[in-house]
Amino acid sequence: MARIVMKFGGTSVADIDRIRNVARHVKREVDSGNEVAVVVSAMAGKTNELVGWTREASPMHDAREYDAIVASGEQVTAGLLAIVLQSMGVNARSWQGWQIPIKTDMTHGAARITDIDGSFLIKRFGEGQVAVIAGFQGISPENRISTLGRGGSDTSAVAIAAAVKADRCDIYTDVDGVYTTDPRVEPKARRMAKISFEEMLEMASLGAKVLQVRSVELAMVHKVRTFVRSSFEDPHAPGMGDPLNPPGTLICDEDEIVEQQVVTGIAFARDEAQISLRRVADRPGVSAAIFVPLAEEHINVDMIVQNVSEDGSKTDMTFTVPSGDMDKAVHALDKVKAEIGCDSIQSETGLAKISVIGTGMRSHAGVAATAFKALAEKGINIRAITTSEIKISILIDSAYTELAVRTLHSVYGLDKH
Amino acid sequence: MARIVMKFGGTSVADIDRIRNVARHVKREVDSGNEVAVVVSAMAGKTNELVGWTREASPMHDAREYDAIVASGEQVTAGLLAIVLQSMGVNARSWQGWQIPIKTDMTHGAARITDIDGSFLIKRFGEGQVAVIAGFQGISPENRISTLGRGGSDTSAVAIAAAVKADRCDIYTDVDGVYTTDPRVEPKARRMAKISFEEMLEMASLGAKVLQVRSVELAMVHKVRTFVRSSFEDPHAPGMGDPLNPPGTLICDEDEIVEQQVVTGIAFARDEAQISLRRVADRPGVSAAIFVPLAEEHINVDMIVQNVSEDGSKTDMTFTVPSGDMDKAVHALDKVKAEIGCDSIQSETGLAKISVIGTGMRSHAGVAATAFKALAEKGINIRAITTSEIKISILIDSAYTELAVRTLHSVYGLDKH
């Protein structure tokens, strides 16, 4: 027997037939003797409908009212799934954020969970009851409904798994796991059986849209073993192999991964723009002078590259932003150009960031050199490089995205079974 | 300055444009210096959509889950109206049943309000804030969302008006008041300026579908002055007369009605069926033997007529039920026929009940005689008669419905201004 949190997104609960499919997944776990909590999103399209109404009501709306309106979508799905489960003979009830309660801070629209009282849920597990929980929502210190922001149901699921000390958090999604890279770009991409929290964090934030970044952070902090699997597959169907060992990717602690790869995956982000400030005065406070105005405009700065200046007085500063934010960023910097004291601001769009990820890099030398050599052999020019302990990111012309991804996927042996 | 509760139904909040119209009504009251709570229903069609999903999920569903799902409709409208009000510069916030809280019993799907704590609302009135309240819902002793049944928003509004000691409860609807009879049947029908609680109760339960019966009962018990008016009219528009004295009908205590009419209105219900039990044994317990089986089948029995038996041993018993329930009623009675000890059970459909209503009947003799004489002159046969203190109901062939309504409307002088 295990205690399991299962999470299903909007496309998995888009209509009553799909909710029935979800219920079958839940019943399978219950029949296996597990204690189960299910976290659900709004039916696909419903959140957009509700958000559309709030915008029509007023473009500048009270985030507390927005939350009360938008959270109703998950409320409906939770009730419907509870009804379907009951009709299949499964003891189940729905829980809304305020009923558990899932306490959050006051940041309506993008609230952070501060505390979850798991005691009611655990008591009901003991009575054999399945908890069907409206994801994406909580309750603020002022007793108002709060929401966790888009994709927040993943975060709800992981947070609940931590609160009830679940053995595993199963994220059911429209893909059957996390791949070494995007299979649409590299058909030889393979599903990983396991990936460490740290690696998944890099994969998630780099555009592998399987899991919300925040939910991975939370899983890492609370060491919640998180299993990404497909909601459209029946593990008991013929040809699916061992139903107790279904296809999927387990995101877990590094220690649990026996055969650690040096490189685990290749992530990429297209539509990057590069902004370079030439001959910036190399003195304390200049970085703040550049990046504070961008933060105030809510521009998400990604790679930042600053070289040691030649003579100790002037340096070049390069960073990337999403293409759509480039003009806004340049405009914001133009206003503080005098203060920064740079010669010119250059900007360019049409770039891509390719990232090589793997915790094994920590103990293996030459990982970066392998990448540079492989790309050079294909004639791909590297514009900028940043590295972290477990990641190497390379900025290139986006026309070379597919070629670079395939080249790196192959050179690190990710094609092989 | 007055404290006012305003209630708007589903058609009045069907889309954002109509919600804006509602907001203008609210702003008008705020600008007049009033303290305002607004109770809203779900957007027209939304409740049916939600109910449809619960049925699709399972025909036999948990009423607690049904309530959590269906109550989301009002939650959305309340949030949207709060946003629109804020965009017009009105200080407003939404309240859900559990936030106020509106406490109910455990009868999910048709819960009764047990207690409303008005103190939070009153505090906010003092701060100049408009309360936008999700109608139709409350919270059960088990901390689950409950709903009050169809049309429950009227009941919410009156109960909140009682809890906050409002000066008036304004029910905005798609008609501009209560009429002496249905204007579609008698074009000379007039809107009443005032009607007593007791009379409105008779009108409401007899098919004048302006207000939920339960809300009128509640208004009567708590003496909540309730004003029925149109949400589609702007009292400030040209030709609308005094905006402080808009068209509508005030439902109030009898004492407040100075010029009491003998007869206030003519109500009617078509699609009645009559069931007669011939030569029933006239002994104690026979009525229970007849009506308990019908109650167990949830058949709503309306008029009941029993005559004193000729010889003290056998009597005829007649009653009416909605046409759609007739076969079920006859079937239920067939099973207990031996126990009742009657000669035969006769049933007939295609009947109508016409009711003459007025508190003035208490002090005026001859009101019934006037009706009988007028109907006789038109050749309308009376099948059965029942009376209460303020009502005379007459069962006739439904083909004569319009003629009977117009005849009675005229004979009691209701045509005249």
Side-chain angles (χ1 to χ4, degrees):
Chain A
M1 195 206 73
R3 183 172 291 164
I4 293 171
V5 174
M6 307 170 76
K7 183 260 167 179
F8 294 89
T11 50
S12 302
V13 294
D15 54 37
I16 304 292
D17 273 346
R18 296 209 191 168
I19 292 175
R20 271 191 236 288
N21 178 50
V22 166
R24 281 188 289 269
H25 280 291
V26 174
K27 189 173 190 307
R28 187 191 66 236
E29 296 292 355
V30 172
D31 290 347
S32 305
N34 294 321
E35 295 180 342
V36 179
V38 198
V39 176
V40 288
S41 300
M43 294 160 88
K46 279 293 145 187
T47 302
N48 287 340
E49 180 184 62
L50 295 165
V51 170
W53 283 335
T54 63
R55 291 201 180 130
E56 199 185 335
S58 172
M60 293 285 289
H61 46 252
D62 185 339
R64 294 166 297 190
E65 301 301 346
Y66 171 95
D67 279 359
I69 293 163
V70 174
S72 69
E74 281 72 17
Q75 179 173 333
V76 170
T77 318
L80 291 173
L81 178 56
I83 287 175
V84 172
L85 282 168
Q86 290 173 0
S87 77
M88 293 180 176
V90 176
N91 179 6
R93 75 155 274 194
S94 69
W95 294 86
Q96 286 152 62
W98 58 268
Q99 288 176 323
I100 293 180
I102 297 175
K103 293 185 185 167
T104 75
D105 62 14
M106 307 260 284
T107 321
H108 283 275
R112 295 194 84 87
I113 295 173
T114 54
D115 185 45
I116 297 179
D117 181 351
S119 60
F120 283 117
L121 299 180
I122 290 170
K123 184 169 169 287
R124 297 299 181 98
F125 291 150
E127 295 164 6
Q129 190 174 66
V130 170
V132 184
I133 300 167
F136 175 65
Q137 60 177 257
I139 184 163
S140 80
E142 282 185 335
N143 210 33
R144 306 282 301 258
I145 292 174
S146 52
T147 67
L148 311 180
R150 282 269 164 160
S153 291
D154 288 344
T155 307
S156 301
V158 172
I160 288 161
V164 301
K165 298 187 175 32
D167 297 287
R168 209 173 68 227
C169 180
D170 284 358
I171 306 285
Y172 285 79
T173 177
D174 50 2
V175 295
D176 63 355
V178 183
Y179 279 71
T180 48
T181 195
D182 187 337
R184 286 168 300 185
V185 167
E186 172 50 277
K188 292 179 194 158
R190 289 178 304 107
R191 188 179 59 237
M192 295 178 239
K194 291 182 180 178
I195 181 172
S196 72
F197 294 122
E198 291 82 354
E199 288 166 333
M200 185 62 207
L201 208 50
E202 297 291 357
M203 294 291 276
S205 47
L206 290 169
K209 285 163 186 140
V210 179
L211 264 182
Q212 267 274 305
V213 175
R214 276 170 58 201
S215 65
V216 182
E217 286 171 356
L218 204 61
M220 182 162 71
V221 170
H222 295 283
K223 297 206 184 293
V224 174
R225 298 171 77 240
T226 303
F227 188 57
V228 175
R229 56 190 295 183
S230 167
S231 67
F232 297 107
E233 285 173 7
D234 173 6
H236 288 284
M240 287 299 292
D242 178 4
L244 293 176
N245 192 16
T249 300
L250 182 69
I251 307 161
C252 58
D253 203 83
E254 210 176 320
D255 300 343
E256 205 181 320
I257 303 170
V258 183
E259 291 184 48
Q260 195 74 45
Q261 303 267 10
V262 176
V263 167
T264 316
I266 313 295
F268 58 92
R270 302 179 211 255
D271 288 326
E272 296 276 303
Q274 165 192 324
I275 298 178
S276 293
L277 282 67
R278 297 297 174 198
R279 296 187 59 72
V280 176
D282 190 7
R283 55 175 166 75
V286 74
S287 294
I290 294 168
F291 294 110
V292 169
L294 298 178
E296 282 169 355
E297 295 283 335
H298 301 287
I299 295 166
N300 205 359
V301 174
D302 186 6
M303 297 172 81
I304 300 177
V305 185
Q306 184 196 335
N307 250 331
V308 177
S309 60
E310 210 174 327
D311 55 0
S313 69
K314 294 275 180 182
T315 185
D316 288 349
M317 177 80 85
T318 297
F319 58 87
T320 63
V321 296
S323 284
D325 284 343
M326 189 181 76
D327 290 345
K328 198 163 69 164
V330 170
H331 185 71
L333 291 171
D334 271 338
K335 287 192 283 187
V336 293
K337 196 176 161 187
E339 191 188 334
I340 302 166
C342 70
D343 278 10
S344 65
I345 300 171
Q346 296 170 350
S347 60
E348 190 174 345
T349 187
L351 304 177
K353 182 178 64 169
I354 317 291
S355 298
V356 178
I357 295 155
T359 47
M361 283 185 204
R362 290 190 192 123
S363 50
H364 280 73
V367 176
T370 304
F372 304 152
K373 181 161 172 282
L375 295 178
E377 281 172 7
K378 299 288 178 181
I380 301 171
N381 186 38
I382 297 174
R383 289 167 160 267
I385 302 166
T386 56
T387 61
S388 78
E389 246 196 327
I390 66 163
K391 182 186 71 172
I392 304 156
S393 291
I394 296 164
L395 194 67
I396 62 170
D397 278 357
S398 72
Y400 294 94
T401 306
E402 288 81 2
L403 180 60
V405 168
R406 286 182 206 128
T407 301
L408 295 172
H409 197 265
S410 166
V411 78
Y412 291 112
L414 297 174
D415 297 355
K416 293 174 200 135
H417 278 276
Chain B
M1 196 206 71
R3 183 173 291 164
I4 293 171
V5 174
M6 308 170 76
K7 183 261 167 179
F8 294 88
T11 51
S12 302
V13 295
D15 54 38
I16 304 291
D17 273 346
R18 295 208 192 168
I19 292 175
R20 272 191 235 287
N21 178 51
V22 166
R24 281 189 287 269
H25 280 291
V26 175
K27 189 173 190 306
R28 186 191 67 234
E29 295 293 356
V30 173
D31 290 346
S32 305
N34 294 321
E35 294 179 345
V36 179
V38 198
V39 176
V40 288
S41 299
M43 294 160 89
K46 278 294 144 188
T47 302
N48 287 340
E49 180 183 62
L50 295 165
V51 169
W53 283 334
T54 62
R55 292 202 180 127
E56 199 184 336
S58 172
M60 294 285 290
H61 45 252
D62 185 339
R64 294 166 297 191
E65 301 300 347
Y66 171 95
D67 280 0
I69 294 163
V70 173
S72 69
E74 280 72 17
Q75 178 174 332
V76 170
T77 318
L80 292 172
L81 178 56
I83 288 176
V84 172
L85 282 168
Q86 289 172 359
S87 77
M88 292 179 177
V90 176
N91 179 5
R93 74 154 273 193
S94 69
W95 294 86
Q96 286 152 61
W98 57 270
Q99 288 176 322
I100 291 179
I102 296 176
K103 293 185 184 166
T104 74
D105 63 15
M106 306 260 285
T107 322
H108 283 275
R112 296 193 82 87
I113 296 172
T114 53
D115 185 44
I116 297 179
D117 181 351
S119 61
F120 283 117
L121 299 180
I122 290 170
K123 183 168 170 284
R124 298 298 181 99
F125 290 151
E127 296 164 4
Q129 190 175 67
V130 171
V132 183
I133 300 166
F136 175 65
Q137 60 176 258
I139 185 163
S140 81
E142 282 185 334
N143 210 34
R144 305 283 301 257
I145 292 174
S146 51
T147 67
L148 312 179
R150 280 267 163 163
S153 291
D154 288 344
T155 307
S156 300
V158 171
I160 288 161
V164 302
K165 298 187 174 34
D167 297 287
R168 210 173 66 227
C169 180
D170 284 359
I171 306 285
Y172 286 78
T173 178
D174 50 1
V175 296
D176 63 356
V178 183
Y179 280 70
T180 49
T181 194
D182 187 338
R184 285 169 300 185
V185 167
E186 172 51 277
K188 292 179 192 156
R190 287 178 305 106
R191 188 179 60 237
M192 296 179 239
K194 291 182 179 177
I195 182 172
S196 72
F197 294 121
E198 291 84 353
E199 288 165 335
M200 186 62 206
L201 209 49
E202 297 289 358
M203 294 290 276
S205 46
L206 290 169
K209 285 163 187 140
V210 178
L211 263 182
Q212 268 274 303
V213 175
R214 276 169 59 201
S215 65
V216 182
E217 287 171 355
L218 203 61
M220 183 162 72
V221 170
H222 296 283
K223 296 203 184 297
V224 175
R225 300 171 76 240
T226 303
F227 188 58
V228 175
R229 55 189 295 182
S230 167
S231 66
F232 297 107
E233 287 173 4
D234 173 6
H236 287 286
M240 286 299 292
D242 178 5
L244 294 175
N245 193 15
T249 300
L250 183 70
I251 307 162
C252 58
D253 203 83
E254 213 177 316
D255 299 343
E256 205 181 321
I257 302 170
V258 183
E259 291 183 48
Q260 194 74 43
Q261 303 267 10
V262 176
V263 167
T264 315
I266 312 295
F268 58 93
R270 303 180 211 254
D271 288 327
E272 296 277 305
Q274 166 192 323
I275 298 178
S276 293
L277 282 67
R278 298 295 175 201
R279 296 188 58 74
V280 175
D282 190 7
R283 56 175 166 74
V286 73
S287 294
I290 294 168
F291 294 110
V292 168
L294 298 178
E296 282 169 355
E297 295 282 335
H298 301 288
I299 295 166
N300 205 0
V301 174
D302 186 7
M303 295 172 84
I304 300 178
V305 185
Q306 183 195 335
N307 250 332
V308 177
S309 59
E310 211 176 324
D311 57 0
S313 69
K314 295 276 180 181
T315 185
D316 289 349
M317 176 79 86
T318 297
F319 58 88
T320 63
V321 297
S323 284
D325 284 344
M326 190 181 74
D327 290 344
K328 196 163 69 165
V330 170
H331 184 72
L333 291 171
D334 271 337
K335 288 193 282 188
V336 292
K337 196 177 162 187
E339 191 188 336
I340 301 166
C342 71
D343 278 11
S344 65
I345 299 172
Q346 296 170 350
S347 59
E348 190 173 345
T349 187
L351 304 177
K353 181 178 65 167
I354 317 290
S355 299
V356 178
I357 294 153
T359 47
M361 283 184 203
R362 289 190 192 123
S363 49
H364 281 73
V367 175
T370 303
F372 305 152
K373 181 160 173 282
L375 295 177
E377 282 173 7
K378 300 287 179 184
I380 301 172
N381 185 39
I382 298 174
R383 289 167 159 266
I385 301 166
T386 57
T387 61
S388 78
E389 245 197 326
I390 67 163
K391 182 185 73 172
I392 304 157
S393 291
I394 296 163
L395 195 67
I396 62 171
D397 279 357
S398 72
Y400 293 95
T401 306
E402 289 81 0
L403 180 60
V405 168
R406 287 183 206 126
T407 300
L408 295 172
H409 197 264
S410 165
V411 78
Y412 290 113
L414 296 174
D415 297 355
K416 293 174 200 135
H417 278 277

